[in-house]
Amino acid sequence: MQEDFQLVPAVDVLGDRAFRRERGDFEAATREAGDPVEPVRRFAAGGPPLLHVVVLDAARHGGAPVELARRLAEAAAPVPLQLGGGVRSPEDALALAAAGVARVIVGTAVFEQGPAPYVEALGDRLVAAVDVRDGVVRTHGWERSGGLGVVEAVRLCRGAGVARLLCTPLDRDGTLGRPDLE
């Protein structure tokens, strides 16, 4: 099996500010970076292949951040924006895509509803978020167990035709440590 890895700049958004979150812990989101448009614009100027944004409040409580997505997609252009947080229905996912998001990240809903409706709605624009702590998938802003181990989650997604997976080991997230390639 061929393994493809891509490193991309990431911005976490909490409230209306960009933050650096560490290890999936909302209390550790203490390094504020201001208006999220600014770091997105700054990263895009470097010409990465993609920019990654997670809207933390939305990931925790739901509610696709469509207007924020539109602003960030405009700031990132021409660099494609990958954005997640709050997607709880295929309609949410399509609204983010219509706002200019090139790849829509779906985590909680993929594991609660199954990936098929999201694959049908988004095709290869879907990124299934497999956020993992202690070998178990986490949902609802990393606060609940998704009830699946990482291998089961990957098999579920791949079996449903998910083309892209984003696997985040939460114990390393935001630490600027080396990727957990295992």
Side-chain angles (χ1 to χ4, degrees), residues 23-142:
R23 295 182 167 90
D25 181 355
F26 281 84
E27 302 307 315
T30 57
R31 293 187 194 169
E32 183 185 336
D35 181 346
V37 168
E38 294 312 313
V40 165
R41 204 175 268 140
R42 188 173 59 250
F43 284 137
L50 182 71
L51 282 170
H52 172 85
V53 174
V54 175
V55 183
L56 300 171
D57 292 331
R60 215 173 184 182
H61 305 295
V66 176
E67 289 310 311
L68 175 62
R70 189 178 326 284
R71 287 181 36 229
L72 296 178
E74 288 172 5
V79 174
L81 181 69
Q82 170 175 290
L83 184 137
V87 176
R88 299 296 193 264
S89 70
E91 293 77 20
D92 286 345
L94 289 169
L96 290 174
V101 174
R103 295 182 185 170
V104 179
I105 304 166
V106 184
T108 298
V110 161
F111 298 109
E112 288 187 343
Q113 302 164 20
Y118 297 92
V119 171
E120 184 178 322
L122 294 171
D124 68 356
R125 293 178 74 175
L126 169 65
V127 178
V130 182
D131 300 313
V132 181
R133 184 178 317 250
D134 299 323
V136 177
V137 172
R138 304 296 296 181
T139 62
H140 296 86
W142 315 280

